[in-house]
Structures are given as structure tokens and as C-alpha cells.
């Protein structure tokens, strides 16, 4: 199947032509048939001479219904432009063509209708000249009459040739089905229709409803009036949703492959059309079947920032158009450059941003995105439409290689600076490093640590766990020299100061395992515990505090906390009468 949208001025015979080609009535409303004028989108299909199928999205031609027309054209890859031979090129012919050009539609066909009423030559020449100046370029033209049937075989053959020119659909891409109709079928529930431009849909699939938190499930699929287990792009589809109320969605909403689209209300775009500086402050953005008011902030000569009235599921590279509904004027087409742009808070930020955008063309570029964003989760890039084929640096974090190298160098510098400024601390806290490096996740700090640095007890420092600042190391050496032969004698507070061991120095020595702290200002050499157990094991069991103090040749100031520490470690056990035994 291929899908084509009609375009052209009101009353130039678009619906009549679709009716003649398909034998189906595209005007769905009684009001449309009574007035003889298409008001909303119509749908019909037929088999071509090759055996392929063409589905038509028939759009209204009156200027009052241009938003409806754009909802039908937005997701469709090709256009059938209709011009009447007896009236020729008209205002809505021009506006519809401007819309197709703005959306970048590159495949099309010209049908000059009512050829039984006037010479089609002049209308054909003018229309082809106008079309040639747009994204469609030079298109084939066929003169037809919906009334007599003249030219219809040639038009069917031209449609076949047009179908053969279209690029192959991206069947592995995620689904983004822009809804152009929603209604309720008794016994089935809510049904939505749209043009499936990429990917596949299957009965039972779980999808996201753009802007909603909960998933929706496909209960049934129809295409070309038949129930199907699966539909593949490009196709007109009707999707029956399980358990979804009718009032939850309508035209302009979208059904999405979960986790593959970024919902955004702020985008930077490149404009093709009116100069950015000439745009009014508010316009309407048309993308897919959605029409959303936007506030416009010019950045560069052809780049603007759009603030959307509601978030939409957009990708880098998406095509859309801006329209001024008050003037019935297409201001231009836009190509989405960035769906997650940075804030513009500082003076001169807009001009700097314009320079960055000048280098973008809307084609997703992993290396460029990493260079601009430095660090980003892989899932976030995928939702922006950027294919990810790089290895994460940690978890699902991706990094620009040059920025990652600079972070490693900066980490080493920060740890060294911290060691100079805080010589008694055993390294720099990981969270402090994360803040200094402006990293969003602690795990990024952890994977940046390389030898000779290491992480120990939540701090990044020298790889040697016993490394001590030189003044502390000298003070510990003095303690060992003075008390080595009296391992259970602890220096008094004033003697600790004389030895160069204040509270911070003691803390550094204890953390490094160079001293053992029993209580405030009560420290021993680290092997005192094992020595104490050996001495106490040689006493008659059980033993008292006094016997232990005498055997250890120490004071009650040391013996009490020492025995309490041995109790906690299970080396000794205190009995009900306050005596103790050594646990063997």
C-alpha cells in the first residue's frame, strides 16, 4: 500500500476524483454531501493496475478548513495536487502547495480536473511551474474528467509510477501513529485512525499515548476495511484500543512505541520561509496531525526557539510548518534541530546558541550530540531520535571522549588539591568530587578513578591504605619508640600533644591503622589487642580487672576500655560477677 493526500482549491473536484478512482464516498458527513464541499478528512482506497493499493486521504480545500487539511497531509509521504482546468491556479492551490513545500513533501502528481469543460493546457502549465519551485520539483501531469472518466486510466498508471518512486518504508523504526480520527464502535470501544508512516503494529502491542503516563494496548487492527493481525508501514490503519475511554484521545494525539520518543514543549528549529526576525510572537505549529500554539523566539537569521502550548513527541530531524491562522499564511517549514535544548539564561546565550545551531542540519549525529552535551544517558539520546552505537562509560551514561579525558585529569587535580589543603584526611569524599566535577551521578566518579588513586571508605585518595602525612607518620614513630616496650601504656593527653598528636592527627593515624583508639585521648599501638589476648590467656581463668591490669602493666584508664573492646570483639567474655575469661 502507499498513501497519498489530495491538495488543492475548494471545489476543484478532489473528492469527485477520489470517488471516480475508488468507487468509494470520501465525504463521511451528511453535511458534506448536502453542501457538496469537503469539511473534514475523507478516506478511500483502490487497487492500481500493478496490483498494488493506493489509499487516499482526501482533504478539504476551503481556507476555513486548512487545519483539517494539514492534519491529513502531515504524516503522508506523497500528494495528488488537483487543479481545475476551467479555473486554473487559485489561492488555496497556493496555500496547499506552500504547506506541502513547508513539510518537505518530495513526491507528487498533478491532476488537472474538469478537462471536459476547458482546455487543460494553460492550467497545467501554470500549475507545473508553481509546483516546480517547491520541494516537489517537476511532477507528472494528467488531465482528467471525473464526470466522463476521461484520463482516469492514465491517472491510475501515473499513480503506479509514483508508488514505485517512493523510498522503502522504515519497518524497524519505532511507531508514531498520529491520530486523525477517534470514535467509538459499539461492542469494541475506542478506535483511532491514522497513517502509519514507519514501523509495524500488531494486535496485542503495548503502546504509549503521548502525554499520558499509563500504557494502552492494541485490541484489534483494521486496514482497508479488513481485520488484520499486523500492519506495516506505509498504511492507513484503524486501531481498536483496549480499555481506553473515547475522551482520552483525539486528533493531534499520537500512539508511540514505549520509551522511544521525547515529549517536549521546547524545541530549536531551522526555518525555511519568512525571516526569523519577521515572525510574529505567536504562531501555530503543525506536525503530524497536531496543531499546537507556539511562542516564537528568534535566535539566528533562520533559527528560532519554539515554546509549545503542550508537549509533543518530537525527534531531531522532524519536519513541521508554522502558520499564522489570523492571516491564513504559511510562515514556513521548520526542521527540528534539538528537542532538548539548553536554557538561555545568560546574556549573549541566544547568540551563542545560534552559532551552535548554524552547524546543525537536523540529521541525528551521535558524535555531535556527545560533543555538545558532554554527558547523557543512552536512553535520552534514543528518545531524541539519535541512534546509539557507542559503549557507555558507566551504566547507561555516554560521554564525549575528549570531555571524558578532561574529567579524568580534573579528578586527579582535585584529589591532589584536596590532599594539600586537608593533609590529615584520608582522601577526598566521592560526593564532594562529584560536585566539583559537575557530574550528575556518583557512579561516574567511581569509574573515573584510576591507579595510583583508589576509593576507600567513600573517599578517593592514594592507593596505599597506610599512607600518612609526614608529620603524623613521624609522631607515630615517636610513640612506637617511646612505648614499644610498654605496649599497654598509653600517653597522657599532654604527652600526646608533645609527640605531635592532636585530635586531627590521631584521627588520621587511626583511620590509617597506625594507632588504636580505646577512648578519647587513649591510644595504643595497633598490635596491642593481639598482645593483650596472649597475656590474659596466661592468667588463671576467670580473671578480674585488677589481675588483668597488673598482668598488662597498665593503668585502670587503659585497662577498662581495653577489656571492653576485647569483650565487643568476642576475644573475652564478661561473667555475671564482673570477672572475665578469654574465649578460645
Amino acid at each position: 500500500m502507499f498513501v497519498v493526500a489530495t491538495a488543492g482549491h475548494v471545489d476543484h473536484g478532489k473528492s469527485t476524483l477520489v470517488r471516480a478512482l475508488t468507487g468509494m464516498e470520501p465525504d463521511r458527513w451528511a453535511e458534506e454531501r448536502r453542501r457538496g464541499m469537503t469539511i473534514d478528512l475523507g478516506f478511500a482506497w483502490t487497487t492500481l493496475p500493478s496490483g498494488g493499493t493506493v489509499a487516499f486521504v482526501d482533504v478539504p480545500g476551503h481556507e476555513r478548513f486548512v487545519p483539517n487539511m494539514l492534519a491529513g497531509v502531515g504524516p503522508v509521504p506523497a500528494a495528488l495536487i488537483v487543479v481545475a482546468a476551467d479555473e486554473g491556479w487559485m489561492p488555496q492551490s497556493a496555500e496547499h502547495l506552500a504547506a506541502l513545500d513547508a513539510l518537505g513533501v518530495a513526491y507528487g502528481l498533478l491532476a488537472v480536473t474538469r478537462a471536459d469543460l476547458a482546455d487543460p493546457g494553460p492550467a497545467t502549465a501554470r500549475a507545473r511551474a508553481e509546483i516546480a519551485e517547491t520541494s516537489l520539483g517537476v511532477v507528472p501531469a494528467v488531465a482528467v474528467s471525473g464526470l466522463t472518466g476521461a484520463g482516469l486510466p492514465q491517472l491510475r498508471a501515473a499513480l503506479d509510477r509514483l508508488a514505485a518512486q517512493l523510498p522503502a518504508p522504515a519497518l524497524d523504526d519505532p511507531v508514531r501513529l498520529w491520530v486523525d480520527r477517534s470514535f467509538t464502535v459499539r461492542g469494541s470501544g475506542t478506535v483511532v485512525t491514522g497513517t502509519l508512516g514507519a514501523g509495524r503494529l500488531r494486535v496485542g502491542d503495548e503502546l504509549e499515548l503521548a502525554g499520558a503516563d499509563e500504557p494502552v494496548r492494541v485490541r484489534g487492527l483494521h486496514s482497508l476495511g479488513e481485520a488484520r493481525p499486523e500492519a506495516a508501514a506505509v498504511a492507513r490503519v484503524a486501531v481498536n484500543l483496549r480499555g481506553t475511554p473515547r475522551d482520552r484521545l483525539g486528533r493531534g494525539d499520537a500512539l508511540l512505541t514505549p520509551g522511544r520518543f521525547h515529549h517536549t514543549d521546547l524545541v530549536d528549529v531551522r526555518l525555511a520561509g519568512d525571516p526569523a526576525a519577521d515572525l510574529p510572537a505567536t504562531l501555530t505549529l503543525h506536525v503530524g496531525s497536531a496543531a499546537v500554539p507556539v511562542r516564537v523566539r528568534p535566535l539566528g537569521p533562520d533559527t528560532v526557539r519554539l515554546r509549545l502550548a503542550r508537549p509533543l513527541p518530537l525527534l531531531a530531524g522532524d519536519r513541521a510548518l508554522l502558520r499564522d491562522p489570523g492571516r491564513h499564511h504559511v510562515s514556513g517549514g521548520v526542521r527540528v534541530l534539538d528537542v532538548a535544548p539548553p536554557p538561555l539564561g545568560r546574556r549573549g546565550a541566544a547568540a551563542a546558541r545560534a552559532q551552535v545551531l548554524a552547524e546543525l542540519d537536523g540529521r541525528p549525529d551521535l558524535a555531535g550530540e556527545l560533543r555538545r552535551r558532554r554527558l547523557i544517558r543512552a536512553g535520552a539520546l534514543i528518545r531524541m531520535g539519535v541512534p546509539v552505537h557507542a559503549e557507555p562509560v558507566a551504566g547507561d551514561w555516554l560521554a564525549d571522549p575528549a570531555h571524558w579525558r578532561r574529567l579524568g585529569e580534573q579528578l586527579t587535580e582535585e584529589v591532589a588539591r584536596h590532599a594539600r589543603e586537608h593533609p590529615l584526611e584520608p582522601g577526598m569524599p566521592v560526593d564532594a568530587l562529584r560536585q566539583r566535577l559537575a557530574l550528575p551521578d556518583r557512579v561516574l566518579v567511581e569509574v573515573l578513578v584510576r591507579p595510583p588513586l583508589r576509593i576507600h571508605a567513600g573517599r578517593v585518595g592514594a592507593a596505599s591504605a597506610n599512607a600518612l602525612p609526614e608529620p603524623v607518620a613521624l609522631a607515630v614513630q615517636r610513640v612506637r619508640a617511646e612505648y614499644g616496650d610498654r605496649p599497654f601504656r598509653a600517653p597522657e593527653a599532654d604527652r600526646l600533644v608533645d609527640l605531635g598528636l592532636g585530635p586531627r592527627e590521631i584521627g588520621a593515624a587511626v583511620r590509617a591503622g597506625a594507632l588504636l583508639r580505646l577512648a578519647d585521648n587513649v591510644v595504643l599501638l595497633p598490635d596491642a589487642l593481639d598482645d593483650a589476648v596472649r597475656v590474659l590467656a596466661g592468667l588463671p581463668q576467670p580473671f578480674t580487672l585488677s589481675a588483668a591490669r597488673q598482668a598488662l602493666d597498665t593503668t585502670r584508664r587503659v585497662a577498662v576500655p581495653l577489656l571492653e573492646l576485647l569483650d565487643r570483639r568476642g576475644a573475652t567474655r564478661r561473667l555475671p560477677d564482673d570477672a572475665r575469661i578469654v574465649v578460645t
Side-chain angles (χ1 to χ4, degrees), residues 37 57 155 161 298 582:
M37 182 177 71
V57 179
L155 182 57
R161 291 191 293 272
V582 174

Side-chain angles (χ1 to χ4, degrees), residues 52-232:
T53 300
V54 57
F56 293 96
V57 179
D58 188 34
V59 307
H62 197 282
E63 66 177 4
R64 286 185 294 163
F65 306 117
V66 168
N68 291 349
M69 174 266 179
L70 294 173
V73 170
V76 173
L80 175 62
I81 302 170
V82 178
V83 176
D86 57 337
E87 291 191 0
W89 197 252
M90 296 291 283
Q92 289 311 117
S93 306
E95 186 170 10
H96 284 203
L97 180 62
L100 295 173
D101 183 40
L103 292 169
V105 177
Y107 300 91
L109 181 62
L110 171 64
V112 180
T113 58
R114 302 213 287 258
D116 56 315
L117 300 181
D119 178 6
T124 301
R126 169 71 187 280
R128 293 191 73 190
E130 296 283 350
I131 296 168
E133 299 298 319
T134 70
S135 59
L136 287 153
V138 177
V139 298
V142 180
V144 297
S145 169
L147 182 63
T148 68
L152 291 182
Q154 292 83 354
L155 182 57
R156 289 190 176 93
L159 287 167
D160 246 340
R161 291 191 293 272
L162 177 62
Q165 295 173 6
L166 295 177
L171 298 179
D172 295 328
D173 279 8
V175 167
R176 178 174 50 177
L177 182 71
W178 293 101
V179 174
D180 51 40
R181 273 198 306 161
S182 65
F183 49 92
T184 301
V185 175
R186 180 174 297 179
S188 295
T190 300
V191 176
V192 299
T193 68
T195 299
L196 181 63
R200 301 174 184 270
L201 278 174
R202 299 175 179 86
V203 173
D205 278 355
E206 185 174 278
L207 303 172
E208 287 180 356
L209 174 58
D213 292 334
E214 67 271 13
V216 296
R217 190 169 296 279
V218 177
R219 179 181 182 181
L221 280 173
H222 278 70
S223 184
L224 305 183
E226 296 181 2
R228 301 174 186 269
E230 176 181 326

Side-chain angles (χ1 to χ4, degrees), residues 293-455:
V294 296
R295 294 192 63 82
V296 181
R297 178 177 181 177
L299 298 176
D302 64 346
T303 52
V304 297
R305 175 161 292 187
L306 303 178
R307 173 72 69 177
L308 283 62
R310 66 179 176 91
L312 290 178
L314 300 179
L315 300 174
D318 278 345
R319 299 294 297 260
L321 69 85
L322 290 171
R323 183 172 182 268
D324 186 340
R327 294 191 297 149
H328 302 287
H329 172 67
V330 174
S331 298
V334 299
R335 182 181 288 274
V336 175
L337 302 178
D338 193 340
V339 297
L344 302 176
R346 300 189 308 273
R347 185 179 180 86
R353 180 62 177 166
Q355 293 180 349
V356 172
L357 296 177
E359 301 175 358
L360 305 184
D361 59 7
R363 286 180 291 187
D365 170 28
L366 177 61
E369 290 293 337
L370 291 179
R371 188 168 57 251
R372 287 184 291 275
R373 301 181 189 277
R374 297 186 175 185
L375 279 168
I376 189 170
R377 292 186 183 275
L381 281 178
I382 290 171
R383 289 190 294 274
M384 295 176 192
V386 180
V388 173
H389 46 74
E391 287 296 320
V393 294
D396 66 341
W397 286 101
L398 298 172
D400 172 58
H403 180 60
W404 190 246
R405 286 193 298 271
R406 289 193 295 271
L407 284 173
E409 295 166 359
Q410 186 181 352
L411 181 141
T412 301
E413 294 168 1
E414 290 291 341
V415 172
R417 180 192 59 77
H418 188 273
R420 291 192 301 271
E421 296 177 359
H422 307 276
L424 300 182
E425 293 187 9
M428 187 171 182
V430 170
D431 283 334
L433 257 178
R434 183 186 65 80
Q435 294 174 11
R436 291 300 295 265
L437 300 179
L439 294 174
D441 195 330
R442 180 188 175 100
V443 70
L444 294 169
V445 178
E446 295 171 352
V447 298
L448 278 169
V449 175
R450 298 283 189 274
L453 300 178
R454 74 162 192 168
I455 299 177

